[in-house]
Amino acid sequence: MFFAVFGVLLLVVLSYRPVSEMGSAGMVFPFSMTEDDILQQVGAAGGRVVRFGGFGHLAVVVNDDGSMPEADAMGALFALSPLITSACFDADDVNNAF
């Protein structure tokens, strides 16, 4: 039973990590930052926000030079796969998040 639970947890952790082939990463920023603060922080680090998630502290970020964005450089708490972050869209949004 231990190995089954460990295997599932390991699969979840590995699938939530961003991969370099995507070129973007979903970032989770501190709750104290507003969307404007996030835009300024990401821009100062040489990146841009592709879109925000349903909550103001989630964003999909790309680097202008095409390299993989790093959470520390952008001021984010951690990075996720952008596919996971795309599920966090506004309930009132008429666009498909995927």
Side-chain angles (χ1 to χ4, degrees):
M1 184 63 135
F2 170 76
F3 289 113
V5 171
F6 179 75
V8 169
L9 289 175
L10 184 63
L11 180 64
V12 167
V13 168
L14 292 176
S15 64
Y16 284 161
R17 298 295 307 156
V19 292
S20 59
E21 289 82 23
M22 290 183 171
S24 63
M27 302 271 177
V28 178
F29 291 89
F31 297 130
S32 61
M33 293 180 76
T34 65
E35 289 183 359
D36 290 334
D37 295 336
I38 293 170
L39 287 171
Q40 290 175 356
Q41 182 76 22
V42 170
R48 58 189 160 91
V49 173
V50 175
R51 65 181 169 71
F52 285 98
F55 306 101
H57 61 275
L58 298 172
V60 176
V61 177
V62 297
N63 275 340
D64 289 334
D65 62 3
S67 64
M68 189 66 182
E70 296 290 330
D72 293 340
M74 300 293 174
L77 298 173
F78 57 91
L80 298 168
S81 169
L83 297 176
I84 300 302
T85 311
S86 69
C88 302
F89 57 95
D90 289 324
D92 297 334
D93 192 5
V94 295
N95 297 326
N96 187 353
F98 298 98

